[in-house]
Amino acid sequence: MKTNIAKNIKFYRKQLHLTQGQLAEKLDGKASLVSNYENGHSTPDIYTLCKLAEIFNISLDELVDYKKN
């Protein structure tokens, strides 16, 4: 099952015109890592989520689609 995090990673990656491989390089990982995130096979740890938010120039809340009730 895809999560909002997975969808958001793909959305923001495409907004920056990055391939999965290019984003993986920025994360010091392999392209399969980003693919696994985007397909919902794995979820980034908090350090990686913070790094992704920094790369995408968005808040962590935006990346994880957090809404306070």
Side-chain angles (χ1 to χ4, degrees):
M1 178 173 89
K2 282 193 178 183
T3 64
N4 287 337
I5 295 171
K7 292 175 190 173
N8 288 344
I9 291 171
K10 186 173 186 174
F11 173 80
Y12 288 111
R13 174 181 62 79
K14 288 187 172 197
Q15 290 293 306
L16 293 177
H17 306 288
L18 295 172
T19 64
Q20 289 180 340
Q22 290 168 325
L23 180 56
E25 283 180 23
K26 292 179 180 291
L27 297 171
D28 297 322
K30 297 180 181 178
S32 60
L33 178 72
V34 174
S35 176
N36 285 336
Y37 293 159
E38 291 183 358
N39 290 313
H41 297 301
S42 62
T43 302
D45 61 22
I46 189 65
Y47 171 80
T48 304
L49 287 170
C50 290
K51 182 74 174 167
L52 285 165
E54 183 180 299
I55 291 166
F56 297 148
N57 197 30
I58 60 173
S59 70
L60 187 55
D61 287 350
E62 288 174 286
L63 181 60
V64 300
D65 199 21
Y66 176 76
K67 294 178 181 78
K68 188 174 180 181
N69 292 332

